[in-house]
Amino acid sequence: MCGIVGAVAERNVIPVLMEGLRRLEYRGYDSAGLAALDEAGKLDRRRTLGKVAILQAALDSAPVIGHCGIAHTRWATHGEPSERNAHPHLSLGGDLAIVHNGIIENHEPLRAALIDDGYVFESETDTEVIAHRIHYHLARGCEFVDAVRKTVAELEGAYALAVLSEKNSDELVIARAGAPAVIGVGIGENFVASDVSALLPVTRRFIFLEEGDIAHVRRAGVTIYDASGETVERPVRESELAADAVERGEFRHYMLKEIYEQPVAIANTLEERIAGGRVLSAVLGPRADILLDKVEAVHIVACGTSFHAGLVARYVIEEMCGIPCRVEIASEYRYRSPVVGRNTLFVTISQSGETADTLAALRRAQTLGYLGTLSVCNVPESSLVRESDLALMTRAGPEIGVASTKAFTTQLAALSMLTLLLARHHGMAEERERELTRQLEAVPGLVERALASNDAIRELAEDFADKEHALFLGRGIHYPIALEGALKLKEISYIHAEAYAAGELKHGPLALVDADMPIIAVAPNDQLLEKLKSNLQEVKARGGQLYVFADPNVNIGDENGTRVLAMPDSVEAFQSPIIYTLPLQLLAYHVAVLKGTDVDQPRNLAKSVTVE
């Protein structure tokens, strides 16, 4: 989940590297570092513990100037966050540097063999093993690219890496397998990174490396070799993202900015995909109608917030399409032996499209006889999209805050469109389809109305600032929304939060209820409302403090022991999962602000989980 950036140019690349790191900090922020060839051709390395701003302060005190360099922001896997474990890592003699994202599973035997050959290790990382293996092959007469090729052939696991050598000035070698890497194409200069967003200030033209690719990057051009060592051409693509798409603007935090971007983000998800009151099947790709006509079951696999989106989809797919839908966590799916039903569509959901467990699940699914594969994703050039038969893009735009907000609600909107397409092929009446499509088109406006409760939720959050535990409740399709609300609160405020289907209270969780544990419930005006009211009475009877986000017409009183915040009225069942997500996001945000935590970069977490 680390961030990598590199550059080869005639100008000083240090400002480019540092801006790239700032834009990649969502991928990890335990430590940061860079290495560059200075004007004398000598390798100069700087590393600091903590965030990119600390590295910048160190550079301000002792500047580095170089025309070729690599940089890294780390999310720790092997070895604690410390300066000695920070990247870049050097090899014997200090004339070769490497930055790496991923996990090398066979690093221990490689380390043992290198120690026998006289190599000394300064860190606990698996990355230093790669640096020494490249040096080992260079010392035996290999050319730069061949030394990297021989090294990666020895590695087991996932990696994206960039290598810099004093003996090969003005050039970088990068390689990828199981982790993303992109080349930014300039005029007389070229760049590398983990993510397009890092390079938007310097280029809009990108080459996306395929699995197993190795690239030799120079000022004059780029040569790419595939996994078999053959020279290949990869297309240059123009990014549609604006350079300021990842700026915070007037907002205090990225998370708040992204919460307020949701009306536009959801509108973008729906834009040009609905015509004549119906979702266009072409949004999934040219083969969509043929494949959807055969679907008899759906199997959704995802992680974290995306998993919660899949749980919501299960309710609507089974209700509206009349076909079974399974949902499970990718890290569990990939290590079991699933039974694949006849004509089952395999669906993956991921914001980045590079989530390691989800990618591994997709690759396993492709060997198990599914009817086809579909990805719901926010990044068109991602591995998940490229490797799936069909894709449905969420168009959320860059999401920098680690706690996902607009990525989740745009996933729900995209999955709603998928549901309508499946329902069309399973007998839904055209009039009903048009009504549901109309409801979906009205969601951005309802989201705007839900955001109007921000001030009231900020006041509500004051009751949570000194709490250590919280319980979220929902019923039916809103149980996954309760799960998502609990996840948001624990991610950024560090309050222990759990979520339960409200009907499960009496089967154990009720034992936890007391005056010190706030109970948060979502109460739309649906067929389970009366059941939910009974569950809330169970809480009140035991002295619990209730916070209820409710439809104005549900007749839940704002009284002692119960605080009610009114949601927009006239919200239909097909719309409500998205609408009732908004107050839970705002609650988590304002509680975190009151507690003084790092909202955008919470401890121990990173945005794009590209390691297992």
Side-chain angles (χ1 to χ4, degrees), residues 8-11 67 170-171 186-190 217-221:
V8 182
E10 292 185 4
R11 56 173 156 161
H67 302 288
D170 295 331
E171 55 188 276
I187 299 173
E189 56 185 14
N190 289 296
V217 181
R218 306 169 304 283
R219 282 205 302 259

Side-chain angles (χ1 to χ4, degrees), residues 523-594:
N525 193 5
D526 61 15
Q527 71 274 18
L528 290 173
L529 174 62
E530 295 305 318
K531 300 290 186 184
L532 177 67
K533 284 183 178 180
S534 298
N535 302 139
L536 300 185
Q537 287 300 322
E538 294 169 358
V539 171
K540 286 188 66 174
R542 288 155 179 85
Q545 175 64 53
L546 282 166
Y547 298 84
V548 186
F549 296 97
D551 184 287
N553 303 307
V554 301
N555 194 28
I556 297 176
D558 196 346
E559 55 192 19
N560 186 37
T562 304
R563 293 192 62 179
V564 179
L565 193 144
M567 296 295 294
D569 58 3
S570 303
V571 175
E572 303 288 347
F574 195 48
Q575 303 163 325
S576 61
I578 294 177
I579 308 310
Y580 280 81
T581 296
L582 273 294
L584 304 186
Q585 293 175 347
L586 288 168
L587 178 65
Y589 172 77
H590 288 300
V591 172
V593 169
L594 287 171

Side-chain angles (χ1 to χ4, degrees), residues 272-280 434 437 441:
E272 298 176 351
R273 290 166 161 184
I274 295 173
R278 307 178 84 191
V279 177
L280 302 173
R434 291 183 186 278
T437 302
E441 289 181 292

Side-chain angles (χ1 to χ4, degrees), residues 205-287:
R205 301 172 67 231
F206 297 95
I207 299 171
F208 296 88
L209 296 185
E210 300 288 340
E211 190 77 356
D213 280 355
I214 295 174
H216 192 190
V217 181
R218 306 169 304 283
R219 282 205 302 259
V222 176
T223 305
I224 301 174
Y225 305 91
D226 66 13
S228 66
E230 296 296 320
T231 305
V232 292
E233 295 289 333
R234 302 293 186 211
V236 178
R237 305 180 190 217
E238 190 91 11
S239 174
E240 296 180 1
L241 291 176
D244 62 356
V246 294
E247 299 297 336
R248 196 169 62 234
E250 64 185 27
F251 292 91
R252 182 176 177 183
H253 296 99
Y254 280 109
M255 183 180 179
L256 187 61
K257 171 179 179 275
E258 288 154 6
I259 288 172
Y260 273 89
E261 286 177 340
Q262 287 175 109
V264 172
I266 294 168
N268 288 340
T269 304
L270 305 177
E271 186 179 9
E272 298 176 351
R273 290 166 161 184
I274 295 173
R278 307 178 84 191
V279 177
L280 302 173
S281 59
V283 302
L284 301 181
R287 294 182 49 224

Side-chain angles (χ1 to χ4, degrees), residues 258-267 269-270 305-306 308-309 312 349 351 376 394-396 399 404-417 440 443-444 447 451 481 484 488 574-583 585:
E258 288 154 6
I259 288 172
Y260 273 89
E261 286 177 340
Q262 287 175 109
V264 172
I266 294 168
T269 304
L270 305 177
T305 285
S306 297
H308 296 158
V312 172
I349 310 172
Q351 189 281 137
V376 176
T394 59
R395 298 174 173 174
E399 187 179 66
S404 183
T405 52
K406 65 177 180 175
F408 177 66
T409 52
T410 55
Q411 285 172 353
L412 293 182
L415 289 163
S416 297
M417 289 193 291
L440 187 57
V443 165
V447 171
L451 290 172
I481 301 307
E484 177 62 12
K488 286 290 143 305
F574 195 48
Q575 303 163 325
S576 61
I578 294 177
I579 308 310
Y580 280 81
T581 296
L582 273 294
Q585 293 175 347

Side-chain angles (χ1 to χ4, degrees), residues 51-74:
K51 296 187 177 182
V52 172
I54 299 174
L55 177 62
Q56 183 64 66
L59 291 172
D60 291 342
S61 299
V64 175
I65 296 175
H67 302 288
C68 182
I70 54 177
H72 188 273
T73 180
R74 182 174 186 244

Side-chain angles (χ1 to χ4, degrees), residues 45 48 68 78 95 127 150 166 180 211 216 226 236 298 313 374 387 432 453 466 539 546 588 612:
R45 176 180 65 165
T48 56
C68 182
H78 295 77
D95 60 358
T127 303
K150 286 193 173 186
E166 282 184 359
E211 190 77 356
H216 192 190
D226 66 13
V236 178
V298 175
L374 165 69
E387 296 180 28
R432 177 61 174 158
S453 63
D466 62 344
V539 171
L546 282 166
E612 182 178 350

